[in-house]
Amino acid sequence: MINGGAGVAFIGSGSAQLETALSNDMLSRVVDTSDEWISTRTGIRQRHVANGEESLASLAAQAAQRAISAANLTPGDIDLIVLATSTPDDLFGTACQVQAAIGATSAVAFDLTAACSGFVFGVVTAAQFIRTGTYQTVLVIGADLLSRWVDWQDRTTCVLFGDGAGAVVMQACDRDRLLGFEIHSDGSMNGCLNLAYTAAAAPLTDEISTQKGTFTAITMNGREVYRFAVSRVPEVLEKTLFHAGLAADDIDWLILHQANQRILDAVAKRLKLPNERLVSNMAKHGNTSAASIPIALDEWVRTGKVLPGQKIAMSGFGAGLTWGAALLEWGR
Ligand code: UT7
């Protein structure tokens, strides 16, 4: 642990390359759907699914290693790993497996669960440790394998989700590049989107019954979540911009959780942001939950679209319900 400055910089990104792509046409042989329905209603054309060899930890580690290399650091430089995921390999947490896999021997590691908002919540959490001078260099990973938990016979959900992992390295610096953030929760709408544990009674003795249940496949009230997203996401972005003393026109790139192209377009329109500044890769990846924002960020950085000094507004939203936004300037 080294005491750093009060500011936060975003100095490297990475994402995992999954081998198996599942197209809409392939999916329409599994469940009653079509490429036409999926692409016009959501913008998704394919998604990736983890194969038998890949795990949440292995894909998160791959994304992490790439982000650390891009930041010109070594795993030994990392003080803290925050792994945002709702689909751990181990319910006790997967971050420590990632720490061991990449050899980040000085880092403390823990999981953070906030569904599709997880990466934004992770960035905000990491920033608190950096701003207080507790940690100097933090790796934030967003990784999810929702293919493990969808009901492949439920066409209202299974066509939406894909697997993936992305990461970013944040580091203490003199000038703060985290220009603003806001995070929110509304548990009264929890029932709109769940991957819930269902308990079954398991009698232990004559007097005591314990429970031995299981997690049931993802359920979602798509229309409610859609309505929530198109109202809350522009609102949280506008508030974050206001706190930072900036206007929507100051944003170079808008990276939203890749849930539905129609949601992305509606938010950009509300902010009066031209479509060229709206980042979308959902045609290729679908909705990868906590991974969607860091994967999109990494793709835009690696293809040279995001340049150092540019301003990025990101917003995650989803189960909880949770939502949030972070406004940052890219680079050292
Ligand atoms: O990551 C967390 C955040 N999640 C989200 O933000 C998701 C937000 N919600 C959505 O993106 C949209 O609500 C969906 C993409 C999930 C659904 O789109 P929609 O335009 O709201 O469709 P709908 O649920 O109103 O369904 C319209 C019709 C229904 O048929 P009827 O009742 O009109 O005959 C559905 O049964 O489309 C049918 N349908 C399908 N048809 C073919 C639903 N799913 C499918 C499908 N293929 N996969």
Side-chain angles (χ1 to χ4, degrees), residues 243-329:
H243 294 320
L246 295 170
D249 195 41
D250 296 316
I251 300 171
D252 294 295
W253 297 106
L254 177 61
I255 308 184
L256 302 179
H257 166 50
Q258 306 283 299
N260 187 323
Q261 188 64 42
R262 286 153 53 208
I263 295 176
L264 271 57
D265 292 340
V267 175
K269 194 171 168 197
R270 164 98 176 257
L271 295 178
K272 299 193 177 67
L273 208 69
N275 267 351
E276 306 81 74
R277 297 194 223 167
L278 178 64
V279 173
S280 174
N281 65 0
M282 68 175 34
K284 198 163 77 170
H285 296 288
N287 174 346
T288 56
S289 188
S292 84
I293 293 174
I295 293 173
L297 171 66
D298 186 50
E299 289 185 356
W300 256 244
V301 168
R302 278 173 200 270
T303 51
K305 292 176 191 140
V306 168
L307 299 171
Q310 286 192 325
K311 290 185 183 63
I312 300 171
M314 48 176 72
S315 178
F317 53 92
L321 295 182
T322 53
W323 67 104
L327 185 61
L328 59 97
E329 200 178 289

Side-chain angles (χ1 to χ4, degrees), residues 40 58 64 66 120 131-132 150 157 183 213 221 231 246 253 332:
T40 53
S58 73
R66 291 186 177 172
V120 170
R131 284 178 169 174
T132 54
V150 291
T157 52
I183 52 177
N221 181 334
S231 70
L246 295 170
W253 297 106
R332 285 176 192 279

Side-chain angles (χ1 to χ4, degrees), residues 23-230:
S23 69
N24 291 347
D25 283 332
M26 289 158 90
L27 202 44
S28 67
R29 298 200 288 273
V30 177
V31 65
D32 180 18
T33 190
S34 64
D35 175 52
E36 206 268 332
W37 192 96
I38 303 169
S39 55
T40 53
R41 298 276 181 147
T42 70
I44 298 165
R45 300 214 89 108
Q46 64 164 39
R47 73 286 296 140
H48 292 86
V49 288
N51 63 31
E53 306 296 308
E54 292 161 333
S55 65
L56 196 280
S58 73
L59 293 169
Q62 201 189 113
Q65 278 158 336
R66 291 186 177 172
I68 293 167
S69 300
N72 287 321
L73 296 174
T74 63
D77 296 319
I78 304 297
D79 303 314
L80 168 66
I81 299 171
V82 179
L83 172 61
T85 187
S86 305
T87 52
D89 291 337
D90 184 332
L91 281 183
F92 286 149
T94 303
C96 296
Q97 292 179 40
V98 177
Q99 181 230 18
I102 66 173
T105 48
S106 309
V108 61
F110 61 83
D111 289 22
L112 178 156
T113 304
C116 304
S117 309
F119 182 73
V120 170
F121 279 41
V123 163
V124 170
T125 303
Q128 309 314 307
F129 283 104
I130 295 174
R131 284 178 169 174
T132 54
T134 309
Y135 296 121
Q136 171 108 351
T137 307
V138 184
L139 176 68
V140 181
I141 309 167
D144 267 313
L145 304 185
L146 286 182
S147 69
R148 289 173 169 176
W149 292 109
V150 291
D151 173 354
W152 290 103
Q153 296 310 311
D154 177 5
R155 67 179 184 172
T156 67
T157 52
C158 75
V159 302
L160 305 171
F161 299 109
D163 299 340
V168 72
V169 177
M170 295 166 56
Q171 196 166 53
C173 70
D174 291 335
R175 189 168 65 79
D176 204 354
R177 269 81 152 187
L178 179 60
L179 309 174
F181 69 83
E182 279 231 5
I183 52 177
H184 294 275
S185 305
D186 181 0
S188 72
M189 290 181 75
N190 180 260
C192 290
L193 182 47
N194 300 95
L195 200 179
Y197 175 77
T198 308
L204 184 66
T205 68
D206 289 345
E207 302 85 16
I208 295 172
S209 180
T210 59
Q211 49 175 271
K212 193 169 185 66
T214 184
F215 287 89
T216 38
I218 295 169
T219 55
M220 180 171 72
N221 181 334
R223 287 182 196 181
E224 274 298 318
V225 178
Y226 189 99
R227 268 196 290 272
F228 145 79
V230 295

